[in-house]
Amino acid sequence: MTVTSPASTAAASATPATRPPLNLAVYLVTDSGSMLPEGKSVEDQVKAALEGGATLIQLREKSLDTGAFITRARALLTLCRAYNVPLLINDRIDVALAVDADGVHLGQDDMDPKLARAILGPNKYLGVTVHNMHDAERAADAGADYLGTCAIFDTQTKKHKPGFEPLGVEGVKAMLTKLAEHHKTRALPVCTIGGLHASNVGAVLKDTATKTKKLDGVAVVSAIMAQKDARAATAQLKDVVERELALAPVYATREACQVVSVAAETLRKLREGKASPLVHHITNFVVMNDNANAALAVGGSPVMAHAENEMEAMTGIASSLVLNVGTLSDTWISAMLTAGRVANARGIPVVLDPVGAGATPYRLATCRTLLSEIKFDIIKGNAGEIAALANVQGVEQRGVDSGEVAGGEKASVALAVALAKATGAVVAMSGATDYVARVTAEGKTQVVAVDNGTQWLGKITGTGCTTATLVGCFAGVLGKANAFEAAVAGILTMCVAGEKAVALAKGPMSFKVALFDEFFNVMPADLVQAAKVRDRIQANAD
Ligand SMILES: Cc1ncc(COP(=O)(O)OP(=O)(O)O)c(N)n1
Ligand SMILES: Cc1nc(C(=O)O)sc1CCOP(=O)(O)O
């Protein structure tokens, strides 16, 4: 059970940096009518709800005079500030601005959200009740921060217009599906309202969740405002909501959506011939032809060149460089060093595929030399390879194909982050779940997990190396500054192509043929629809 204590410092102003965070998980909408238990005021119930862990408060008054409304809003704002929880005002922008509340919630009969946004400015939260996709797109265009669906169930708290039918679980689920399909609405947080209480919100959150979007929380009135012990009622609600939100992976958070959108938009450029990156490979004999075909299929332009004498000329005209240590020789190492230096000097993104890095001292020493002489933008490897480079012991390695991290997601993330910190490169670690980690210019760690893919990718040789090729293609379009997005895009393209190819495979070789066909066929919309990309990794870690 989560019971919140007051924040030690109140947020003084409402700039994006200092305003309380928007969290729809347990959203209390107030009511000052007869539902209040005897002796309890709106202020008492809101205070109790904050103590119980409410994450967002909306003051909703339908008949209060403006002066009294403002007085109540001021009182609630003081309470909310103490818990660093935002206070929104229902319908009345004038009241919100008068007390410097954190924003407003508007319905379809209220002010046009675009006008509301213009009046509120960019730093106030704007929530909008939506009945359909038209409302949702309009709200998104206006700059809404979240959407609330119209009622999911019947409620005694509010009289609806004649003919209004609650959406039901299936209706909310259908709306979430549509919201996820549209680029404008995909990343907007969503809550629902109406007839919700502790004993049904768990099922509502679970049963409305789709593969690509789920509710971010529930809004309630009577489940808190009408309760004698509003603190315990809120804590009980929060318990259920947090458990349910933490259980299922969250695939459609704002950050995850952005990174998938970049992948899709870049693939669109490749498909439409608006970009055709020249990807210079120094790669191994086993995969050379496959890598070239994969680059070609996805819309890139592959070149395989190993002679040191032509590195200056060849790397110099490339959009990206992929160095793969799978079949090394001393002369290739010299060529790699020269190519890497040329790429670094000219701002060309460089990808390292440290194939079997820990398998022999020669490979490991070579990787160390490359890492000390060349600034890599992306290192793509399996867990065993990443562990070898990060000098982490105890990660199982079998040949060059695999590597298992004991300790689940937390340990995997820690490993990828350790190498990202040590090298400054984006680290793309493949496995059943792929992890992409980086340290931002501000020193923050960013990790996304890609849950896509198929075991069939492990049944043919070279899919890891080919992933590096795809990453190289995306890096060639997106450039060094977007190496993180390029790494996710390359991995996602491999995984989604693999998922599509499975349906056509009779065995490993027909899978391989289908996979290469899918490199050619996979479309931006396929990436968006299939993506299972998470960015709240720590919260979901076991
Ligand atoms: C979180 C949340 N969802 C829906 C509503 C209803 O808003 P609206 O349609 O504007 O109706 P009224 O609240 O004005 O009756 C809401 N207030 N909050
Ligand atoms: C304020 C409000 N808006 C609704 C809508 O349909 O948009 S239903 C509602 C009241 C919800 O109250 P309770 O949690 O007590 O059922």
Side-chain angles (χ1 to χ4, degrees):
M1 183 178 292
T2 315
V3 178
T4 314
S5 21
S8 51
T9 52
S13 69
T15 66
T18 58
R19 64 184 178 177
L22 187 70
N23 178 349
L24 304 181
V26 180
Y27 185 174
L28 170 63
V29 180
T30 67
D31 189 291
S32 53
S34 57
M35 74 164 63
L36 285 172
E38 214 180 316
K40 298 284 188 188
S41 66
V42 171
E43 289 79 356
D44 292 336
Q45 297 298 75
V46 169
K47 182 167 185 294
L50 289 165
E51 287 168 359
T55 57
L56 182 59
I57 307 290
Q58 180 191 134
L59 174 58
R60 180 173 178 269
E61 293 290 350
K62 290 296 179 186
S63 53
L64 211 56
D65 289 339
T66 302
F69 200 156
I70 287 178
T71 304
R72 178 158 289 157
R74 282 213 176 97
L76 295 197
L77 192 60
T78 304
L79 289 171
C80 286
R81 287 283 177 266
Y83 287 81
N84 202 28
V85 165
L87 175 71
L88 308 186
I89 307 293
N90 178 268
D91 295 353
R92 294 283 300 270
I93 295 185
D94 56 337
V95 174
L97 291 177
V99 303
D100 197 19
D102 299 299
V104 295
H105 183 96
L106 300 177
Q108 291 303 315
D109 297 332
D110 301 322
M111 185 185 283
D112 175 358
K114 206 167 237 168
L115 186 52
R117 172 55 81 202
I119 297 172
L120 286 169
N123 297 339
K124 298 288 183 195
Y125 293 121
L126 173 61
V128 181
T129 304
V130 296
H131 298 247
N132 49 46
M133 276 308 286
H134 174 264
D135 298 346
E137 280 178 47
R138 190 164 150 261
D141 281 338
D145 294 289
Y146 74 89
L147 306 176
T149 75
C150 53
I152 182 169
F153 298 136
D154 277 330
T155 171
Q156 302 297 310
T157 301
K158 170 174 162 176
K159 275 206 177 69
H160 285 106
K161 285 185 181 158
F164 173 85
E165 285 290 331
L167 293 172
V169 167
E170 287 309 315
V172 171
K173 189 171 183 175
M175 191 180 285
L176 288 170
T177 305
K178 286 188 203 140
L179 291 170
E181 280 166 4
H182 201 293
H183 69 279
K184 287 183 185 169
T185 51
R186 192 176 299 139
L188 279 178
V190 185
C191 61
T192 190
I193 193 168
L196 297 171
H197 40 79
S199 52
N200 66 4
V201 293
V204 162
L205 290 172
K206 192 202 264 146
D207 297 342
T208 54
T210 74
K211 205 170 70 172
T212 48
K213 194 157 180 66
K214 63 203 287 260
L215 289 168
D216 295 86
V218 289
V220 300
V221 182
S222 53
I224 294 177
M225 293 307 286
Q227 306 310 311
K228 283 198 180 116
D229 189 344
R231 180 181 190 269
T234 311
Q236 196 189 353
L237 257 175
K238 188 159 184 184
D239 217 21
V240 182
V241 171
E242 277 188 338
R243 205 171 331 126
E244 197 52 52
L245 289 183
L247 274 181
V250 180
Y251 288 131
T253 58
R254 192 171 288 256
E255 217 167 319
C257 280
Q258 272 163 2
V259 91
V260 173
S261 287
V262 173
E265 282 315 307
T266 313
L267 184 61
R268 189 186 311 284
K269 281 189 190 158
L270 288 162
R271 288 279 175 260
E272 291 173 356
K274 292 188 175 139
S276 182
L278 181 68
V279 186
H280 177 196
H281 290 71
I282 303 182
T283 190
N284 70 68
F285 291 124
V286 182
V287 298
M288 216 177 281
N289 188 247
D290 285 347
N291 286 182
N293 279 320
L296 205 55
V298 86
S301 185
V303 61
M304 292 9 200
H306 304 84
E308 190 172 0
N309 286 344
E310 66 172 345
M311 290 300 103
E312 180 82 35
M314 187 58 82
T315 312
I317 58 163
S319 315
S320 62
L321 173 68
V322 176
L323 300 182
N324 177 311
V325 304
T327 51
L328 283 175
S329 73
D330 287 353
T331 49
W332 277 27
I333 295 169
S334 296
M336 285 181 186
L337 288 168
T338 304
R341 286 183 194 122
V342 171
N344 281 174
R346 303 201 186 178
I348 296 164
V350 193
V351 181
L352 173 65
D353 190 341
V355 180
T360 66
Y362 183 58
R363 279 173 200 245
L364 192 54
T366 302
C367 289
R368 295 248 153 85
T369 305
L370 291 173
L371 283 168
S372 67
E373 299 291 323
I374 299 167
K375 171 91 184 72
F376 285 94
D377 298 283
I378 301 164
I379 302 171
K380 189 230 66 74
N382 63 39
E385 292 157 355
I386 301 300
L389 298 192
N391 207 13
V392 171
Q393 308 299 318
V395 178
E396 185 197 330
Q397 267 202 280
R398 286 177 282 134
V400 297
D401 298 331
S402 103
E404 309 290 336
V405 181
E409 184 150 86
K410 265 190 184 154
S412 297
V413 170
L415 179 54
V417 167
L419 189 62
K421 281 188 176 157
T423 59
V426 170
V427 172
M429 191 168 91
S430 56
T433 290
D434 302 309
Y435 298 96
V436 182
R438 70 160 173 173
V439 180
T440 66
E442 298 77 38
K444 285 194 182 140
T445 302
Q446 186 185 6
V447 184
V448 299
V450 181
D451 288 336
N452 293 92
T454 161
Q455 291 188 342
W456 280 89
L457 290 170
K459 296 201 188 304
I460 55 174
T461 53
T463 48
C465 304
T466 307
T467 302
T469 290
L470 298 179
V471 169
C473 288
F474 282 97
V477 181
L478 289 165
K480 289 169 87 72
N482 299 302
F484 184 79
E485 288 78 2
V488 177
I491 284 177
L492 192 58
T493 303
M494 170 59 81
C495 290
V496 173
E499 287 172 2
K500 284 163 68 74
V502 169
L504 305 164
K506 294 198 198 92
M509 274 306 113
S510 52
F511 173 72
K512 183 171 177 180
V513 171
L515 179 66
F516 279 67
D517 281 346
E518 291 306 328
F519 292 151
F520 182 76
N521 290 328
V522 70
M523 286 294 154
D526 296 322
L527 294 193
V528 170
Q529 268 159 30
K532 294 188 195 165
V533 178
R534 291 178 282 131
D535 62 350
R536 293 177 189 168
I537 309 298
Q538 298 300 346
N540 287 325
D542 52 10

